[in-house]
Amino acid sequence: MRAVSDTGVRAPDGADAATNPKAIRRLAASGWIAGIVIACGLMIPAPPTPQLGAAGWAAGIGIQAVSLLARLAFARNRTVSPRRLLAITWLLPVDIAAMQWLAGGWAAPYHELLLLSLILGSAWMSISRFVPFAATVAALTLAPAAYAPDPDAMLGAVTGLVVWLFVSTALAMLMARVRGQARLARRDPLTRLGNRRALEERFAATAARESVLAIGDLNRFKEINDVHGHLAGDACLTAVGEVLSRHARREVQVFRWGGDEFAILLPATPATVAHEVFERLEAAVAGAVADPLGAPVEITFGWAVGAPGTDLVALTEAADAALRARKPASRRRAAA
């Protein structure tokens, strides 16, 4: 079996997302709003004036305004970007630490909100991201020791911090395991591409935009299995998945539909561009994959364009009909 060298297969967003994007947005929104509301409420019993005097009110209100604007900017973007989510999650403890300093240090209750940022971070961050985040939150929690020394207050803060670090770390490990299981449930074990479930979730996330769905199958896969065995067939499927992933543009999502069929989702793509994309992918597979005797392995695609709000079932039926129209002879042989 000939195929391009293995550099890894880019799995679709639906299969590799750390967790459900809508759930992330709801959790993050709830946490940020709660943090902003509580911080604003605490300015009454713990005014931000000890460090800057009356100017502390302007500074405190300005900090909360920046946090609110960042939250609104995130809410307007329908795509959950890990970098954006990471930045906004880091903003919350920085916001809280600044308010703690403005209010004079240990005597102010703002540092209790730092525990909220630990829970938010542990709910979605990988362990490698959570460890430096937790260390930074711990440093910010203990920062008043540098400008408002109070051994008794610091001892209480350290005790609470140790407990919450333990709880949040345990939660981060648990959520990492849950996300790993979720990724496996959305990934084809042979090709490492997203499976049909991943396609359904990804399509639901892009249903508000025009999308192109393609269904493709290998032209003589049954012959490869019958003549060379199922291991050769599996190697063929793996190689085809690698080629499709390697040659697809970044925004193109590749899935294994089932058997010898693959599905490709192109969001916001004109029909003329889709035609060029799928012809290029067909040529790439034929040029890079061969059966054990050296004969090219070919794939044929049929595709359909769905308007915003189009049902996935209807779009799949249209793409499958287009596939049958492009390779009627092989379809009749398969049916026989």
Side-chain angles (χ1 to χ4, degrees):
M1 183 68 57
R2 183 182 84 245
V4 288
S5 60
D6 181 17
T7 61
V9 177
R10 187 180 74 248
D13 291 347
D16 275 351
T19 186
N20 184 285
K22 291 184 179 179
I24 287 179
R25 292 172 66 86
R26 286 194 293 266
L27 174 65
S30 300
W32 298 330
I33 291 175
I36 293 172
V37 170
I38 295 174
C40 289
L42 287 176
M43 281 194 284
I44 298 175
T49 54
Q51 298 291 352
L52 301 180
W57 284 104
I61 293 173
I63 290 171
Q64 300 312 313
V66 169
S67 294
L68 181 59
L69 290 174
R71 158 75 183 96
L72 293 176
F74 182 85
R76 284 197 298 268
N77 195 304
R78 297 182 63 88
T79 302
V80 178
S81 164
R83 287 185 178 181
R84 185 178 294 108
L85 185 59
L86 187 64
I88 207 73
T89 303
W90 276 83
L91 179 61
L92 180 59
V94 173
D95 173 334
I96 296 168
M99 294 301 298
Q100 184 78 19
W101 175 79
L102 287 172
W106 293 118
Y110 294 95
H111 66 275
E112 300 291 344
L113 292 176
L114 287 169
L115 306 179
L116 174 63
S117 64
L118 280 176
I119 297 301
L120 287 176
S122 66
W124 76 270
M125 287 182 177
S126 64
I127 297 298
S128 61
R129 284 178 169 173
F130 178 71
V131 169
F133 177 75
T136 301
V137 170
L140 291 174
T141 301
L142 302 177
Y147 58 82
D150 185 335
D152 292 336
M154 182 174 179
L155 178 61
V158 169
T159 302
L161 179 63
V162 169
V163 172
W164 281 98
L165 283 174
F166 176 80
V167 171
S168 59
T169 301
L171 178 59
M173 295 174 66
L174 174 63
M175 292 303 296
R177 182 175 180 180
V178 170
R179 289 192 299 268
Q181 293 174 342
R183 281 193 292 269
L184 290 177
R186 292 163 176 79
R187 179 171 293 180
D188 174 57
L190 177 64
T191 64
R192 311 301 294 171
L193 297 173
N195 57 18
R196 189 177 299 198
R197 179 179 179 182
L199 170 61
E200 292 171 351
E201 293 180 356
R202 182 59 181 169
F203 183 82
T206 60
R209 295 180 292 169
E210 180 179 85
S211 298
V212 177
L213 176 67
I215 302 293
D217 69 5
L218 305 187
N219 292 349
R220 54 187 186 88
F221 184 69
K222 185 177 184 302
E223 177 184 335
I224 294 174
N225 272 340
D226 291 345
V227 175
H228 304 291
H230 287 84
L231 290 180
D234 288 349
C236 174
L237 291 171
T238 301
V240 169
E242 291 176 356
V243 173
L244 292 177
S245 294
R246 195 185 310 278
H247 288 267
R249 302 195 308 267
R250 183 174 181 81
E251 67 274 16
V252 176
Q253 304 299 325
V254 183
F255 306 84
R256 185 182 178 192
W257 183 255
D260 66 328
E261 293 184 322
F262 294 84
I264 297 182
L265 183 64
L266 284 74
T269 303
T272 53
V273 175
H275 181 85
E276 297 174 357
V277 169
F278 297 125
E279 285 197 337
R280 176 170 56 82
L281 291 177
E282 288 176 348
V285 170
V289 184
D291 67 17
L293 296 181
V297 173
E298 298 179 343
I299 188 171
T300 301
F301 286 103
W303 58 90
V305 181
T310 300
D311 180 74
L312 178 59
V313 174
L315 191 58
T316 300
E317 291 176 348
D320 199 48
L323 174 60
R324 291 195 301 270
R326 292 196 72 207
K327 49 182 302 184
S330 62
R331 283 289 183 180
R332 283 199 297 269
R333 287 195 298 271

